[in-house]
Amino acid sequence: MEYLSKIRDDQVDMLFDAILCLKDREECYRFFEDLCTINEIKSLAQRLEVAMMLREKRTYHEIAEKTGASTATISRVNRALTYGAEGYDKVLSRLMKK
């Protein structure tokens, strides 16, 4: 069954198609540095690390200490892991296989 996203539109499709055409980490750095601010990139990376640590059953205190994330960010990521679109789950399981 196809996933019906709440954010799907032509612009978002083009963004995701652009990301999917990147060939390696260097191309990702180049594209995201042009597309996003440094703080936006760092925030996305932080959320991914928070998700990984939550999957490892780390405490909010441990996560906040290691990542610098606020408890609000940790809670938001935890909510996405529990009730979200399973995107974190797919990515984290693939990263763990590497």
Side-chain angles (χ1 to χ4, degrees), residues 20-72:
L20 289 168
C21 80
L22 297 169
K23 294 182 178 131
D24 56 29
R25 187 177 288 158
E26 182 180 333
E27 286 189 5
C28 287
Y29 271 101
R30 290 173 180 269
F31 180 67
F32 279 93
E33 284 183 36
D34 285 350
L35 181 67
C36 303
T37 66
I38 292 170
N39 286 339
E40 289 168 335
I41 296 167
K42 295 284 189 180
S43 291
L44 294 170
Q46 182 187 63
R47 289 178 192 171
L48 185 58
E49 185 175 14
V50 167
M52 191 171 294
M53 293 180 76
L54 284 166
R55 281 288 176 239
E56 294 169 350
K57 305 293 186 204
R58 303 282 187 86
T59 67
Y60 275 35
H61 178 75
E62 288 176 299
I63 296 168
E65 205 169 76
K66 179 162 191 305
T67 66
S70 68
T71 55

Side-chain angles (χ1 to χ4, degrees), residues 47-57 60 63 73-93:
R47 289 178 192 171
L48 185 58
E49 185 175 14
V50 167
M52 191 171 294
M53 293 180 76
L54 284 166
R55 281 288 176 239
E56 294 169 350
K57 305 293 186 204
Y60 275 35
I63 296 168
T73 296
I74 298 167
S75 180
R76 184 179 324 118
V77 172
N78 192 43
R79 199 167 33 255
L81 284 168
T82 305
Y83 303 109
E86 299 175 3
Y88 278 122
D89 291 328
K90 283 192 185 306
V91 167
L92 292 175
S93 68

Side-chain angles (χ1 to χ4, degrees), residues 1-33:
M1 179 162 66
E2 185 178 352
Y3 175 69
L4 299 175
S5 173
K6 298 173 192 122
I7 62 168
R8 178 167 280 164
D9 65 24
D10 290 342
Q11 287 180 324
V12 176
D13 282 351
M14 185 171 69
L15 171 63
F16 292 161
D17 288 344
I19 293 168
L20 289 168
C21 80
L22 297 169
K23 294 182 178 131
D24 56 29
R25 187 177 288 158
E26 182 180 333
E27 286 189 5
C28 287
Y29 271 101
R30 290 173 180 269
F31 180 67
F32 279 93
E33 284 183 36

